[in-house]
Amino acid sequence: MASFDAIILGAGAAGLMCAARAGQRGKRVLVLERAEKPGKKILISGGGRCNFTNIGAGPTNYLSANPHFAKSALARYTSRDFLSLVESYGIAWHEKTLGQLFCDGSAKQIVAMLLEECARARESGGDVEIRCGEEIASVEHDGLFKVTTSAETSTAPALVIATGGPSIPKMGATSYAYELARQFGLKLVEPRPALVPLTLGGEEILFRDISGVSAPVVATANKASFAEAALFTHRGLSGPAILQASSYWRPGDPLLVDFLPDQTAEWLMDAKRTSPRVGLKTLLREALPARLADILADRIGIEGDLGNVPDKALRSAGERLKRWAFHPNGTEGFAKAEVTVGGISTAELSSRTMEAKRLPGLFAIGEAVDVTGWLGGYNFQWAWASGVAAGDAL
């Protein structure tokens, strides 16, 4: 039976960061990973270039039952801190829209950097051992945590849950973190898919006819609004604006889409005065992709030249185009969700250390916790920050 200072379950972004931090503080750390190699989600992120952080990451970019919980960790390990680490390894990067930072080369560089940071533990008298392809048979606690795999049993005074959430099951994601939390009496906030495409049914099924069409919009769900592209799919709605809004959307809620973010609701009345002989469909085609313009014009039902349409009808149409209400009948589920909203309740954890209040030595970090970031590098920043918080406390 091998003994360690800490056992970390999961060699993803949060688990590797935690292991490196603890190892460089002289700790002997065992990392157990179910997949055949570490950092699988990192490798596929950002189209293989890893959107490794967002330069503007702050507490307001996260969803949680306790919106204040993430403040401490995010303040103590910022996106600038991670960027400094990336630059110290000579990894070239670039900024895309809205503060999103990507590798110029490959996401493999981020995984290699994290593994090298783990290896550097030996310089401080620590050690990080990473074992992949390990199925966990049992986890017990009797003063020490005892983790049994098919290979052997290991013990440690500290256990870190870093196994993520159930999003992207084809990558090996499971709800194991929640099973462990229940085993140790920790409460959960109901997990649900986030950053996920929404599905349409009923009369709105006709929007599937324009699958592949995208347009810049402002999408709003429960007062949270995002100005990015929306994409129509063969099942419903996707694209960055929709994925962002999906994290706030709940079944039964409408999803409001502003198809003309650069125009006012009076736009059609103004157009009537300047171009009275133009029809609605023609006008919309100037502002939107033709197939989308046609389907919106058909739904609105205004015929003929604008000059012959009453102002009241034009104002109503303008308002509808600014607040087009879709009524999704669901999401594409965890299979297509990039992350999970909900998870281990933050009420159970110290916001400074990520340690469970009712069971000292038990920690939870990353996506396993009820802290979910927006699209665009925010979830990686939470992984780094929460991993550092736990790693410094082990």
Side-chain angles (χ1 to χ4, degrees):
M1 190 180 295
S3 63
F4 297 85
D5 294 316
I7 299 172
I8 299 173
L9 306 182
L16 290 175
M17 191 62 153
C18 181
R21 199 76 173 200
Q24 290 179 23
R25 294 178 56 248
K27 304 293 184 180
R28 291 189 65 245
V29 181
L30 172 65
V31 183
L32 297 174
E33 171 56 51
R34 190 167 166 266
E36 68 279 6
K37 58 184 177 183
K40 282 187 76 174
K41 265 195 178 181
I42 300 173
L43 292 171
I44 67 161
S45 68
R49 288 194 170 177
C50 188
N51 180 191
F52 55 80
T53 192
N54 192 294
I55 206 65
T60 56
N61 305 117
Y62 295 83
L63 290 80
S64 175
N66 176 3
H68 302 291
F69 181 83
K71 288 180 178 178
S72 176
L74 291 171
R76 286 180 292 122
Y77 193 83
T78 68
S79 54
R80 300 277 178 185
D81 292 323
F82 190 76
L83 183 57
S84 294
L85 179 62
V86 168
E87 290 179 333
S88 75
Y89 276 79
I91 298 172
W93 59 275
H94 60 278
E95 181 178 345
K96 284 193 176 180
T97 57
L98 306 172
Q100 302 171 40
L101 304 190
F102 289 77
C103 296
D104 284 359
S106 166
K108 293 177 182 177
Q109 295 172 283
I110 299 297
V111 175
M113 177 190 78
L114 293 168
L115 294 178
E116 179 59 28
E117 283 291 290
C118 287
R120 282 187 53 204
R122 298 189 191 96
E123 299 171 12
S124 310
D127 184 62
V128 176
E129 182 179 341
I130 301 172
R131 297 185 200 155
C132 294
E134 292 280 355
E135 286 284 352
I136 296 167
S138 67
V139 177
E140 302 168 63
H141 181 258
D142 56 0
L144 292 175
F145 289 95
K146 185 163 69 172
V147 179
T148 301
T149 69
S150 53
E152 67 175 357
T153 297
S154 303
T155 64
L159 178 74
V160 182
I161 302 172
T163 53
S167 58
I168 322 183
K170 69 180 180 182
M171 296 296 295
T174 70
S175 56
Y176 184 60
Y178 310 150
E179 295 170 25
L180 278 178
R182 290 189 191 98
Q183 177 183 332
F184 292 116
L186 305 186
K187 294 176 182 174
L188 297 176
V189 173
E190 180 189 1
R192 55 188 174 86
L195 300 181
V196 63
L198 300 175
T199 56
L200 298 175
E203 290 183 6
E204 293 175 334
I205 203 167
L206 64 88
F207 282 94
R208 297 185 192 179
D209 293 342
I210 58 171
S211 176
V213 172
S214 67
V217 304
V218 175
T220 301
N222 278 315
K223 299 181 180 177
S225 298
F226 298 93
E228 290 189 73
L231 170 70
F232 291 90
T233 72
H234 67 286
R235 298 192 65 187
L237 296 164
S238 189
I242 304 301
L243 296 180
Q244 296 277 38
S246 74
S247 298
Y248 294 83
W249 178 83
R250 301 303 293 263
D253 291 343
L255 177 80
L256 302 178
V257 174
D258 179 354
F259 283 111
L260 301 167
D262 295 330
Q263 303 289 355
T264 70
E266 309 291 310
W267 177 60
L268 294 176
M269 294 166 63
D270 295 338
K272 174 182 176 177
R273 286 186 281 276
T274 58
S275 307
R277 305 182 87 172
V278 171
L280 176 62
K281 189 171 290 188
T282 301
L283 196 62
L284 284 179
R285 279 182 166 215
E286 293 176 5
L288 296 166
R291 292 164 66 200
L292 173 58
D294 291 352
I295 204 169
L296 293 175
D298 289 343
R299 292 298 291 260
I300 290 170
I302 288 177
E303 303 290 342
D305 296 344
L306 295 183
N308 298 322
V309 181
D311 282 358
K312 183 177 179 181
L314 292 178
R315 184 182 291 109
S316 176
E319 289 171 351
R320 187 175 180 191
L321 289 164
K322 295 289 289 179
R323 287 176 58 85
W324 194 282
F326 287 97
H327 299 87
N329 59 9
T331 76
E332 292 197 30
F334 285 115
K336 294 294 178 69
E338 295 198 19
V339 291
T340 306
V341 165
I344 297 171
S345 173
T346 58
E348 301 283 1
L349 307 173
S350 160
S351 63
R352 183 163 185 82
T353 64
M354 305 291 130
E355 187 172 18
K357 296 173 183 177
R358 64 177 79 193
L359 183 53
L362 179 65
F363 297 76
I365 57 177
E367 194 185 342
V369 179
D370 174 35
V371 174
T372 306
W374 291 359
L375 186 71
Y378 298 100
N379 286 293
F380 273 129
Q381 187 55 37
W382 171 246
W384 315 137
S386 60
V388 165
D392 284 353
L394 286 172

